[in-house]
Amino acid sequence: DAGVTQSPTHLIKTRGQQVTLRCSPKSGHDTVSWYQQALGQGPQFIFQYYEEEERQRGNFPDRFSGHQFPNYSSELNVNALLLGDSALYLCASSLGTGLTNYGYTFGSGTRLTVV
Amino acid sequence: GENVEQHPSTLSVQEGDSAVIKCTYSDSASNYFPWYKQELGKRPQLIIDIRSNVGEKKDQRIAVTLNKTAKHFSLHITETQPEDSAVYFCAASNRDDKIIFGKGTRLHILP
């Protein structure tokens, strides 16, 4: 059973650069949510994609953007990287609109370090 | 929007004793409350969840309680074991499916 897969696992970027992170949801899931987890903190909601559209967004600037493809996989793009963007980026998949009863399945995350 | 407060931030208990982690939420429309366990360097994993039409749910050594009136919910771990050491996150979700997390509780099980 394929769980949620994220790539790459680790990434080092320079301030001002752009980065793209990728996520493949668990088989059978169609909704992808992205979270930023700073060291020692809880995951912070970035945005959620369903039916290839951004359905909800948290309190993150426009530098954070995303996309969902017809196969439900998703990308997170961050432009003009800041040192404060260094964090673990988690992708979570779930099934359908309003079906939170089963919770999210998380990927292992991408550790982004901005230097 | 929803805000989830969690305490304590750190909790140390003797092996075999019980641990309790408490959370409050702000949005009365929230109807789903999952708990996640995150071990060092690993992904958060769902350990138990509760919906707003239920007051308590148990799964072996783990139980969750929900007080909708007070907007409180708690995680109880009995007969703690070394492998229970981890960071635990409570979370809340309303009808629009977004899940908001607390800041986490680092649980240490002492030998």
Side-chain angles (χ1 to χ4, degrees):
Chain A
D1 174 28
V4 179
T5 57
Q6 291 187 243
S7 63
T9 55
H10 294 84
L11 202 52
I12 300 175
K13 288 287 189 177
T14 302
R15 192 172 45 184
Q17 285 187 316
Q18 179 265 344
V19 68
T20 297
L21 311 182
R22 296 177 175 83
C23 172
S24 293
K26 180 179 178 179
S27 177
H29 284 181
D30 58 7
T31 301
V32 173
S33 302
W34 286 93
Y35 286 81
Q36 180 194 67
Q37 187 177 22
L39 203 62
Q41 299 295 315
Q44 297 289 310
F45 178 77
I46 302 175
F47 42 52
Q48 183 181 81
Y49 278 85
Y50 174 72
E51 293 187 341
E52 301 180 51
E53 292 195 356
E54 182 182 292
R55 182 166 68 178
Q56 300 179 67
R57 189 178 184 91
N59 293 326
F60 280 80
D62 293 344
R63 299 187 296 108
F64 289 76
S65 64
H67 189 78
Q68 186 178 35
F69 301 93
N71 66 353
Y72 309 121
S73 66
S74 178
E75 288 182 350
L76 164 65
N77 301 292
V78 187
N79 294 323
L81 284 166
L82 303 174
L83 296 179
D85 295 331
S86 295
L88 179 68
Y89 288 84
L90 293 163
C91 168
S93 73
S94 56
L95 176 63
T97 304
L99 292 177
T100 59
N101 293 351
Y102 302 103
Y104 287 174
T105 299
F106 279 93
S108 295
T110 294
R111 173 73 62 187
L112 173 64
T113 302
V114 182
V115 297
Chain B
E2 176 65 277
N3 183 49
V4 177
E5 299 286 340
Q6 181 173 349
H7 60 95
S9 56
T10 305
L11 179 61
S12 296
V13 300
Q14 212 68 38
E15 183 178 347
D17 288 350
S18 296
V20 179
I21 301 171
K22 298 183 179 182
C23 291
T24 61
Y25 62 99
S26 61
D27 187 351
S28 56
S30 288
N31 59 5
Y32 175 66
F33 306 91
W35 286 85
Y36 286 83
K37 175 183 180 181
Q38 188 175 29
E39 297 178 48
L40 191 62
K42 296 191 175 180
R43 73 188 76 188
Q45 293 202 307
L46 179 69
I47 55 172
I48 196 167
D49 55 16
I50 191 168
R51 302 167 201 170
S52 58
N53 60 346
V54 175
E56 183 175 359
K57 182 177 178 181
K58 276 187 174 182
D59 182 4
Q60 300 182 339
R61 298 185 297 108
I62 294 174
V64 290
T65 58
L66 172 64
N67 182 328
K68 284 169 50 181
T69 303
K71 290 189 272 187
H72 289 176
F73 57 116
S74 300
L75 176 72
H76 304 252
I77 306 174
T78 58
E79 300 173 11
T80 52
Q81 300 170 3
E83 54 265 35
D84 295 330
S85 293
V87 179
Y88 291 81
F89 294 99
C90 62
S93 176
N94 59 22
R95 296 181 203 97
D96 66 3
D97 205 29
K98 176 173 62 180
I99 294 182
I100 302 301
F101 287 80
K103 292 188 175 182
T105 296
R106 184 171 298 278
L107 176 62
H108 299 277
I109 306 301
L110 306 173

